Amino acid sequence: MHVVVTGALVENGAVLLVHRRPTKRAYPDVWDLPGGQVEAGESELQALAREMHEELGVHIVAESVSRLGVLHAGSGEDAVHVGVWQIGDWVGSPTNRAPDEHDDIAWVGISELGGLPLVHGVLAAMVRSLPEFECARRHSDVTDRNQDDRGTKADCRGCAGTDSSSIRWD
């Protein structure tokens, strides 16, 4: 199983996304939250801090970080556990410091999420659950939260599923 962390940096009503290069073996040519694999001996929070610095050049303020949710996808050797974290505060201005992994980064408003090819369609629902987007969420059309464009099943907070391809909200 691969253990991965991603971080949602939110500023001025937008979330920072990275675009995965079309040449990437896993999830090519889609938008995602920045992050990466947890290395041996690292906690998810340590990996998150390392990945945000390596990919974006920012230092996260650990006290401002909280877990947004967990996504499980795939099975066997291809199984992936993705810890999704909200980062409330950071030091530095995000820039693409991993051009071999990402060919673009962008601040994306909540209303634009549904129109982008996302690594997991449920990513939009997870971002919409952030307190910063409470008002916008109530006034926007919400895409289908039960299935993403790759067929990954997701459940809402109240119905958190337990199968290997569901999203669990912590």
Side-chain angles (χ1 to χ4, degrees), residues 25-87:
R25 184 179 65 82
Y27 302 108
D29 202 24
V30 292
W31 289 92
D32 195 5
L33 293 171
Q37 296 225 15
V38 176
E39 295 177 357
E42 274 185 322
S43 69
E44 284 193 21
L45 188 54
Q46 290 169 328
L48 183 66
R50 176 182 51 75
E51 288 288 346
M52 293 301 108
H53 185 257
E54 288 176 1
E55 292 190 3
L56 302 173
V58 299
H59 296 279
I60 64 173
V61 176
E63 298 79 23
S64 76
V65 176
S66 61
R67 184 185 289 264
L68 180 58
V70 177
L71 172 68
H72 292 276
S75 60
E77 286 184 21
D78 293 331
V80 180
H81 165 105
V82 183
V84 182
W85 296 78
Q86 177 183 4
I87 302 169

Side-chain angles (χ1 to χ4, degrees), residues 43-153:
S43 69
E44 284 193 21
L45 188 54
Q46 290 169 328
L48 183 66
R50 176 182 51 75
E51 288 288 346
M52 293 301 108
H53 185 257
E54 288 176 1
E55 292 190 3
L56 302 173
V58 299
H59 296 279
I60 64 173
V61 176
E63 298 79 23
S64 76
V65 176
S66 61
R67 184 185 289 264
L68 180 58
V70 177
L71 172 68
H72 292 276
S75 60
E77 286 184 21
D78 293 331
V80 180
H81 165 105
V82 183
V84 182
W85 296 78
Q86 177 183 4
I87 302 169
D89 197 16
W90 62 91
V91 177
S93 182
T95 59
N96 185 6
R97 292 188 47 183
D100 54 320
E101 294 181 34
H102 312 118
D103 57 9
D104 198 7
I105 65 172
W107 292 99
V108 179
I110 189 169
S111 63
E112 301 169 278
L113 287 173
L116 292 176
L118 300 172
V119 68
H120 299 289
V122 296
L123 180 61
M126 293 182 86
V127 170
R128 284 185 184 99
S129 74
L130 291 168
E132 290 87 342
F133 295 122
E134 179 69 29
C135 180
R137 186 172 62 248
R138 275 186 266 158
H139 299 290
S140 69
D141 292 331
V142 178
T143 61
D144 182 7
R145 294 181 185 194
N146 290 329
Q147 188 158 335
D148 71 11
D149 56 354
R150 295 182 189 276
T152 303
K153 185 177 181 333

